[in-house]
Amino acid sequence: MKRSVEEVIDLYQAVMPADRWARIGPLVRDSVRRALRPDSQLPSPKAVAGYMGIAAAFVAWTQEMGYDLDVEILFSPSTIAHYIAIATPQLAGPTKATRRATLSMIGRRITRRADWGAQNTVYPVSVAKTPYFDEQVEWLVECADQQRTPLLRRAVTASVGLGLGAGLRTSELNAVRANDIHAERGHLVVEVLGRNRRTIPIVDRFAPLVTQLVDAHPGEPLVHRHGFSRVEALAAALGRAEVPQELKPLRIVRLRATWAVTMLNSRIPFAAVQAAYGATGIEFVYDLLPHLRAPEWGQQVDMFAKPLT
C-alpha cells in the first residue's frame, strides 16, 4: 500500500546517527510540511521523500557548522548558497541544481524575514592547487587562534597545523586523533591510518599548533570533538574561517600543496616526499611544477658532481 504525503513526512528516517536525527528531525519535518502549500497541487509521495532527504542533509550540515536551529537562519539565501557552493563540490551539476531548487523552494515558503529578492551571496569554489606564499602562511598561523567560535578555532588550528605541517588530505585531517601524534627524535610525527597508512614528521614551525590541540583534547579527534560526520563538512567549516580576503576560502588542497612544494624544494629525496604525500604515482607533481625552483648554479654543480647516495 502506497504511503500518503503526510505518512512519508511523519515516518521518514534520515541516514544519520539516531540522536542527531532526533534533534533535527522535528524541524525538518515541520519545514517540509509547511512548504507544501495547501493551495497548490501536492507533489507525489516519492518527490516528498526526496525533499525530506535533501532538507535533512542540509540541516545536519548547518548544525555541524554551528548554526542556530532557526529556520529563518537556516533556510536563508546566504546559508543555502554557502551549502551548495562549499559543501557539495563533488555532486554533478543537475544534482546540485536540484538541491538548490528544493532548499530555495522551502526557504521562500517558510521564512518571513529572508530577502529572497536580493542577489545571493557568491562563494568562490576554485580548488586550484596554488600554494600559499610565506607571508600568507604567517597570516594563516596568526588567524588560527582568532576565529569567532571554538568550533572554527579548533578546525582551523588543526587544518593549518597538519595541512601545512604534514600535508594531510581532508579525510585524513578529519580522522586524526590526539593519540596519533607522538614524538620521535625530538620532533612530532603523525600516524595516518586508513587506506594510505603512513607516518609523517610534522614541520617544527607548525608543531606548536598541533601540540596545543593534543594537550587540550586528549584522546579526541583534533578537528572536532567527535570528528565531522562528512569530510565536506570540514571543508565547509574552513570556508567560513575568518582569514584575509585574498585567502578566502581557506582550502585544505592549498595547505597540502604548500607542504608538498616546501618538501620538493628541499633536499628530501622525491621518493620520500611521494610516500609522505600518500601518492602512488608522480601525477601529484604536475600542478606543482610552476612552483618548484632549482638551486643556484653553484649549488647545482656541487650537487650533480657529488650526488647523495
Side-chain angles (χ1 to χ4, degrees):
M1 181 177 178
K2 290 185 177 180
R3 290 177 175 175
S4 68
V5 167
E6 280 296 325
E7 288 174 329
V8 168
I9 294 174
D10 290 337
L11 299 177
Y12 184 86
Q13 293 293 321
V15 182
M16 63 180 67
D19 60 338
R20 182 176 302 162
W21 180 237
R23 186 170 65 254
I24 71 172
L27 181 141
V28 172
R29 290 191 176 98
D30 182 64
S31 297
V32 172
R33 183 177 288 111
R34 289 168 55 198
L36 302 179
R37 291 176 173 171
D39 59 347
S40 61
Q41 183 176 356
L42 285 178
S44 68
K46 181 178 180 180
V48 172
Y51 295 168
M52 289 292 296
I54 290 171
F58 168 66
V59 175
W61 171 83
T62 64
Q63 296 312 286
E64 290 176 341
M65 295 302 98
Y67 285 93
D68 291 337
L69 202 59
D70 180 340
V71 295
E72 293 289 343
I73 297 172
L74 304 187
F75 288 95
S76 67
S78 60
T79 305
I80 293 170
H82 187 196
Y83 170 71
I84 295 298
I86 303 298
T88 63
Q90 79 286 1
L91 298 181
T95 303
K96 190 178 296 187
T98 298
R99 291 202 178 192
R100 180 189 290 276
T102 299
L103 295 171
S104 297
M105 177 273 291
I106 295 172
R108 287 178 183 275
R109 293 182 176 181
I110 70 173
T111 58
R112 297 292 177 265
R113 299 192 302 271
D115 184 3
W116 286 96
Q119 180 70 31
N120 285 352
T121 303
V122 176
Y123 291 88
V125 294
S126 170
V127 292
K129 295 181 180 179
T130 304
Y132 297 106
F133 55 76
D134 286 344
E135 185 180 12
Q136 292 176 328
V137 168
E138 292 178 4
W139 292 346
L140 291 175
V141 172
E142 291 179 5
C143 288
D145 195 44
Q146 298 174 3
Q147 303 304 306
R148 63 183 178 276
T149 67
L151 183 150
L152 277 178
R153 281 195 295 276
R154 185 167 175 174
V156 172
T157 300
S159 298
V160 171
L162 290 172
L164 294 175
L168 299 195
R169 296 179 175 87
T170 306
S171 58
E172 294 166 346
L173 273 165
N174 196 40
V176 169
R177 306 180 73 89
N179 51 9
D180 296 326
I181 309 295
H182 64 269
E184 190 168 322
R185 296 176 64 88
H187 307 281
L188 286 187
V189 300
V190 55
E191 298 284 347
V192 179
L193 307 179
R195 185 179 62 181
N196 294 292
R197 189 184 186 104
R198 61 200 189 278
T199 302
I200 309 171
I202 297 172
V203 178
D204 286 348
R205 178 182 179 185
F206 307 108
L209 295 176
V210 180
T211 300
Q212 170 187 332
L213 292 176
V214 170
D215 291 343
H217 309 290
E220 295 182 1
L222 293 188
V223 295
H224 189 282
R225 184 175 59 178
H226 303 296
F228 290 93
S229 63
R230 300 182 311 281
V231 293
E232 295 89 345
L234 172 56
L238 297 183
R240 297 174 58 207
E242 294 184 346
V243 296
Q245 186 63 39
E246 64 189 87
L247 303 186
K248 291 183 178 180
L250 178 58
R251 293 284 191 180
I252 292 174
V253 68
R254 294 189 65 190
L255 298 173
R256 183 165 154 82
T258 305
W259 174 88
V261 166
T262 300
M263 298 303 116
L264 291 168
N265 279 332
S266 71
R267 299 188 68 175
I268 301 174
F270 177 82
V273 178
Q274 179 189 35
Y277 192 82
T280 56
I282 65 171
E283 294 81 2
F284 79 98
V285 178
Y286 296 162
D287 292 331
L288 306 177
L289 287 174
H291 309 287
L292 302 184
R293 63 176 184 270
E296 62 178 26
W297 176 243
Q299 289 180 294
Q300 290 188 48
V301 171
D302 293 339
M303 292 168 70
F304 276 93
K306 296 181 179 180
L308 298 175
T309 58

